[in-house]
């Protein structure tokens, strides 16, 4: 369920918590959690992640689901892969980026 306030749409369902370790062995479970978040219209809680591998990072990026409270390890991984802008809130439009 998505609610709207003065700042725009917000997610009103509790975020789906992600496991502490997102390595290759966790990909299938991560895909299931992403599907759950999609079905509920909720974000993904990345606050407890202590390790994230490249494959799981790609799954998160492809999902398009917002990440809530990304841990320092998540921020580091996104920076290493050059995709930190996908963690930014609120998202900026391309016209704002070129200004």
């Amino acid at each position: 369920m998505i609610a709207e306030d003065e700042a725009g749409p917000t997610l009103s369902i509790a975020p789906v918590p992600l496991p502490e370790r997102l390595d290759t062995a966790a990909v299938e479970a991560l895909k299931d959690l992403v599907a759950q978040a999609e079905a509920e219209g909720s974000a993904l809680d990345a606050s407890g992640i202590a390790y994230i591998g490249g494959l799981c990072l790609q799954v998160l990026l492809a999902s398009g689901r917002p990440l809530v409270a990304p841990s320092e390890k998540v921020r580091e991984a996104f920076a290493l892969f050059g995709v930190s802008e996908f963690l930014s809130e609120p998202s900026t439009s391309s016209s704002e980026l070129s200004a």
Side-chain angles (χ1 to χ4, degrees), residues 72-92:
E72 187 60 33
K73 292 296 183 182
V74 170
R75 291 182 184 281
E76 288 172 8
F78 272 63
L80 181 66
F81 280 80
V83 293
S84 294
E85 66 272 11
F86 290 98
L87 291 176
S88 300
E89 291 182 43
S91 60
T92 56

Side-chain angles (χ1 to χ4, degrees), residues 4 6 8 10 15-16 20-21 28-29 31-32 34-35 37 48 51-52 58 61 69-70 80-81 84 88-89:
E4 293 212 20
E6 293 177 9
T10 58
V16 174
E20 183 177 335
R21 186 166 181 86
E28 290 302 319
K31 288 168 51 179
D32 291 342
V34 166
Y51 174 85
I52 181 168
Q58 291 176 36
L61 285 173
L80 181 66
F81 280 80
S84 294
S88 300
E89 291 182 43

Side-chain angles (χ1 to χ4, degrees), residues 34 38 55-65 78 86:
V34 166
E38 277 187 16
L55 186 56
C56 285
L57 187 143
Q58 291 176 36
V59 169
L60 290 177
L61 285 173
S63 77
R65 301 304 313 161
F78 272 63
F86 290 98

Side-chain angles (χ1 to χ4, degrees), residues 32-45:
D32 291 342
L33 291 170
V34 166
Q36 176 186 343
E38 277 187 16
E40 295 175 357
S42 63
L44 298 166
D45 180 355

